[in-house]
Structure formats: C-alpha cells, structure tokens
Amino acid sequence: MEQDRGQFSSRLGFILAAAGSAVGLGNLVAFPVMASKNGGAAFLIIYLLFVAFICYPVMLAEIAMGRRTQRNPVGAFSMLSDRSKVWRLTGMLGIVTPFMIAVFYTVITVWLVVYLKQLATGNLDTLSSDATFSNLVQEPSLFGYASLLLAAVFLILVGGVKGGIERLARVLMPTLAVMLVVLVCFVLTLDNASAGIAYYLVPDFSKMDLGVVNGALSQAFFSLSLGMGILITYGSYFSRTDSIPSSARMVATMDTSIAFFAGLLILPAIFAFDPNTNTDDLSTSSVGLIFSFLPKIFLSMQAAVGYFGASVVALIFFLLVFFAALTSLVSIIEIPISYWIDEWKMTRKRAVLTQAFLLALFAIPATLSFGLSEFFTNFTNYGGLSKSFFDVVYDVFYETILPLVGFTACIFCVYRWKLNGLNEELSVGDPRYNGSLMQRYLNVSLGTVVPVVLFSVFVSTVYTIFI
Ligand code: PHE
C-alpha cells in the first residue's frame, strides 16, 4: 500500500504544487478588489503582517503535522494524539471541509470552461451582455461540461502525487506567471491605467476598521490554502531532507506576489474602462466580478486593439483564471483521496473512483442551485436571506469554517502534540531552525495570539453571516 501514498520529487515540486493550490480565484480577483476598496497600500500592509505573523506559523504547523505522520488530516491528528477519539474527530473537519469546498469550486470552474469555449469561438460580445451569466448558470448543458472537467481532474489525480499533481503544477504555474506578466504589461499601456495604480497603491488609513482587519485575515488565510487540510496532506508527501520553514516561505511569497500583480492587472483595466470608477461599487464577490463585470472591461478594449485583440486578451485572462482554479481544484480533491488511501487502505485508483462518485453526488445539487431546480435554489433561509444549496456550502465551508480548523490545528500542536515534537519536526532538514528567531516567535505565538485571533475571526464571521 505504501507506494500509493507517493512523494513530491523535490523541494521545488512541493513549492510549485502548494503554490498551485494557494493561487486561485482569491488571488486573482478577491484580493485586488478588497485592497482597492479598503485603503490600498494600507490594506496591503495589514495583509502582509497577517501573512507573516499569523498565517506563516499555521503553515509550518500544518506541514509539520503531515510530514511527521505521513498521513492525511484524520490520520495525522489521530497518530499524534495516540489515537484519541476526540482528536480523530477534530481531524475529520480537515477532510469534510476540503470535500465540501471541492463541491462549489467545481461548479465555478465549470462556468470558467463555458466562458473559455465562448471566447475561443469569438463570442466576447455575448459574454458582455448582462443576461448571459444568469442564463448560463441555468443551462442543462453545464452537466456535459462538468463531466468533461471532472474526467480531466480525476485523470490527473490517478496519476498520483508526482506524476499527476506535481506534473500539472510544473507546467501550469510558470505558464500562469508568464501570462500574468504579459497581461500586466499590456494593461499598463492603456490610457488611464495610472488612475487604477494610484487607487491600488496610495495608502488611505482612514478606511481601516475592525471589519477590514477581519477581512484581511480571512483573505490571507484562505488564499494560502490554510485550514483545509491541504498543507497537512502535502506535508506528508514532503521529503525529510528538505526544510519546511524555507519552503513555506517560498509558497507564501509566491502566493502573495501573484495576488499583488493581479491587482496591477485588474484595477488599471477597470480604470481604463471608466476613469470615474468608484471602487465602492465593485463587488468583492469574485464570481460576480469575473463572470459579469470583467467581460465588459475586455470588450471595451476593442477601441484600442480591435475586437479580435480584445478577445485574445480576454481569452488569455480567462485561461489564467482557469489554470489557477484547476490547480486549486486538484489540490482540494486530493485530501479526501489521501484519506481513503490511508484510512480505508484503498488503492489510489479505487480512492479516486470513490471520490469521483461522491463529488458528483454533491456537485449535482450545487449545479442545480441557480434556477434549474426550485428545491435546491431556495434551499433554506438564514441571516434574513433565502439561500440555495450552493450558498449553504459556500457560507459554511468557505466563509466560516477555515479559521476554526486553523485554530484547532494550533491548539492541537501546542497542547497535545506539544511544542517539543513540533520543533523537532521543523528542524528536520533545517539545521538552522533550532534557536532561530522564527522558532522563538512560533513557540510563543502558536498557543496564544494566533489561536486567539483565529477564534475571534471565526466568531465574528458566524455572527455576520448567520445572525
Ligand atoms: N487558495 C485558493 C484561493 O486563493 C483557495 C482554494 C484552494 C480554493 C484550494 C479551493 C481549493 O483562491
């Protein structure tokens, strides 16, 4: 059974795969808009502080748990607690969360596939009309696209850690970076681009309040793929001769840089479209922005580069978003697969088939949540709003639960596994870790500030969304 677990071929393989997971819709769309709405560089500074002082310690803890145990999240919590039932159950959160995130992420990625097809067939103008998106989400043909996408994703996953996940990230991540740079260079040549840059980068501290700080932390947390069991699992595929602290630093740097560059792309593009844009009117919902607003921006570029040119720019952008979404989707589905392999002793092939079946089971109602089925569209009510099945999955598993899972990981490492164990694991492959400033900070913060901050964010999110 051992050969089924797999391992990354090198440190770079791990870094690219983890960055592939981290770089997603959150970087390319949510981050730029959040930054511009909430005080530009002022937001950026807060965000960076959170990445360095709150998220980075959690990253180290998650990766170390995985590498020490060579297990999925449930197995990791269970092994490090001498098979405590309570901790095993807590580890379950690290399987259910990615399982459910995969459900709605699949739906969004399918929409991206439809947009790519439309752009490739010259239909940028159709995509820019207001009705298109609301009609598209109700098309029964979505199930055809979903089958194609999932077939590709599960084929990659059958390829395993090295031959599937790592190989995909090795091709797509550099491509994505090059495409991003090309698009940024192009957009910066447009008239009025500088207004967007100013909006993005001039700090305005007057916008800071508790809500903004809260939002910055949640954004940093999910952008780095924390609290989803991903880094525990990827840590279990990470070599014992390499350094966890320096690899995690690279992943955090790549993720944050891509988010930053996405801002240099999106905001100048928006301001070139309309120099009087009021960013307060931009939706932070990545979905609304990508699917409804950005096609209009791209179409407006035809004045400068013609319809064909504008379509090419739009196609490159949507490919970029699709690549980012695909690597994230693959990473998230790998977590339950690793659980089936470790805990149920399945072969990888069988684990992949099981997961494909289960994912389809939940992805169908999520796809039906946009009007195709009345039952799933008006599934329930809370916070004074009618919510679809998709909304429930999104609100619970994406908006709310991640800081809670991060919180449990910190508490677990400090009070159950104990700092000695964690420190020992972090110094494997990194002789300089022992006695470093980082180690001292981690040992103080992981049982105090970090969990307190994460728990506060969790409580305040529950309050805002559900009450
Ligand atoms: N880190 C991703 C982002 O920034 C979030 C994500 C990761 C979503 C993995 C799904 C799966 O968008």
Side-chain angles (χ1 to χ4, degrees):
M1 222 48 47
E2 256 334 279
Q3 74 274 23
D4 272 319
R5 285 208 96 258
Q7 206 182 34
F8 292 116
S9 67
S10 64
R11 191 171 101 96
L12 183 67
F14 167 84
I15 293 173
L16 287 175
S21 169
V23 174
L25 302 178
N27 303 63
L28 294 177
V29 191
F31 177 84
V33 176
M34 254 185 159
S36 57
K37 273 183 159 179
N38 296 322
F43 178 88
L44 228 72
I45 294 169
I46 305 240
Y47 182 88
L48 287 177
L49 290 175
F50 277 142
V51 170
F53 292 104
I54 305 288
C55 298
Y56 181 63
V58 183
M59 281 178 93
L60 296 187
E62 287 197 10
I63 301 173
M65 283 176 72
R67 190 172 71 174
R68 163 55 63 95
T69 55
Q70 303 282 299
R71 286 288 177 278
N72 67 91
V74 169
F77 273 94
S78 167
M79 263 173 88
L80 291 172
S81 66
D82 295 322
R83 319 224 162 267
S84 139
K85 286 228 167 57
V86 176
W87 283 114
R88 194 180 163 85
L89 216 63
T90 312
M92 236 20 235
L93 266 184
I95 301 292
V96 176
T97 304
F99 181 100
M100 295 308 281
I101 290 180
V103 170
F104 79 81
Y105 222 75
T106 301
V107 177
I108 298 179
T109 314
V110 171
W111 297 339
L112 283 171
V113 175
V114 179
Y115 268 55
L116 282 177
K117 188 203 145 213
Q118 292 289 350
L119 287 170
T121 46
N123 293 330
L124 175 61
D125 48 356
T126 325
L127 292 184
S128 324
S129 92
D130 280 328
T132 304
F133 183 58
S134 39
N135 290 337
L136 177 147
V137 296
Q138 304 191 33
E139 283 280 339
S141 66
L142 285 175
F143 289 104
Y145 290 103
S147 313
L148 279 179
L149 173 74
L150 289 180
V153 165
F154 285 104
L155 210 66
I156 294 165
L157 285 163
V158 171
V161 177
K162 205 180 301 179
I165 300 174
E166 183 181 325
R167 186 136 56 120
L168 181 78
R170 274 183 189 269
V171 177
L172 292 193
M173 292 312 287
T175 314
L176 184 149
V178 171
M179 284 160 81
L180 185 59
V181 171
V182 169
L183 283 180
V184 169
C185 292
F186 165 72
V187 162
L188 292 183
T189 63
L190 298 174
D191 289 342
N192 298 315
S194 55
I197 301 177
Y199 217 103
Y200 183 40
L201 294 180
V202 174
D204 173 3
F205 284 96
S206 69
K207 295 252 174 78
M208 282 298 129
D209 61 24
L210 203 64
V212 171
V213 173
N214 210 335
L217 180 71
S218 305
Q219 170 68 19
F221 208 74
F222 83 64
S223 185
L224 290 167
S225 294
L226 293 173
M228 307 180 192
I230 293 182
L231 290 180
I232 299 184
T233 310
Y234 276 22
S236 75
Y237 306 142
F238 187 58
S239 147
R240 296 193 72 76
T241 52
D242 291 324
S243 153
I244 294 179
S246 77
S247 309
R249 209 154 40 230
M250 285 290 292
V251 176
T253 309
M254 276 170 132
D255 184 61
T256 309
S257 315
I258 292 197
F260 177 77
F261 278 105
L264 283 181
L265 168 64
I266 304 264
L267 291 158
I270 292 175
F271 277 81
F273 167 63
D274 174 8
N276 301 317
T277 304
N278 176 357
T279 48
D280 287 340
D281 299 338
L282 294 179
S283 147
T284 16
S285 125
S286 312
V287 169
L289 204 82
I290 296 183
F291 294 103
S292 306
F293 190 65
L294 288 180
K296 291 193 183 61
I297 305 273
F298 289 120
L299 188 64
S300 78
M301 287 175 188
Q302 65 179 331
V305 289
Y307 185 76
F308 181 75
S311 300
V312 171
V313 175
L315 187 63
I316 300 178
F317 176 79
F318 275 91
L319 257 183
L320 177 84
V321 179
F322 174 70
F323 288 168
L326 184 65
T327 47
S328 294
L329 186 61
V330 164
S331 78
I332 199 109
I333 301 178
E334 171 64 14
I335 315 312
I337 290 179
S338 72
Y339 168 75
W340 299 123
I341 293 176
D342 293 343
E343 308 299 314
W344 294 72
K345 307 285 174 240
M346 289 186 192
T347 58
R348 173 166 278 274
K349 212 184 216 153
R350 194 173 179 149
V352 167
L353 282 174
T354 307
Q355 192 51 35
F357 170 75
L358 290 173
L359 178 62
L361 205 64
F362 284 83
I364 291 171
T367 307
L368 294 172
S369 288
F370 296 85
L372 273 169
S373 143
E374 170 58 27
F375 177 73
F376 290 115
T377 306
N378 294 312
F379 193 60
T380 180
N381 281 297
Y382 54 80
L385 298 167
S386 157
K387 299 278 185 171
S388 68
F389 178 79
F390 179 98
D391 294 331
V392 176
V393 175
Y394 184 89
D395 286 349
V396 175
F397 290 97
Y398 206 40
E399 292 279 16
T400 314
I401 218 164
L402 304 183
L404 181 69
V405 184
F407 168 81
T408 58
C410 296
I411 297 293
F412 178 78
C413 284
V414 177
Y415 299 104
R416 180 72 208 219
W417 184 19
K418 304 277 190 260
L419 285 169
N420 277 346
L422 178 65
N423 284 326
E424 197 185 297
E425 185 58 35
L426 287 174
S427 37
V428 172
D430 190 343
R432 276 178 313 180
Y433 175 74
N434 261 332
S436 65
L437 207 62
M438 185 60 229
Q439 182 198 21
R440 270 178 272 167
Y441 174 70
L442 189 94
N443 289 355
V444 174
S445 63
L446 207 60
T448 53
V449 229
V450 177
V452 168
V453 170
L454 291 177
F455 197 72
S456 322
V457 172
F458 169 67
V459 172
S460 98
T461 316
V462 170
Y463 189 79
T464 342
I465 297 188
F466 298 96
I467 307 167

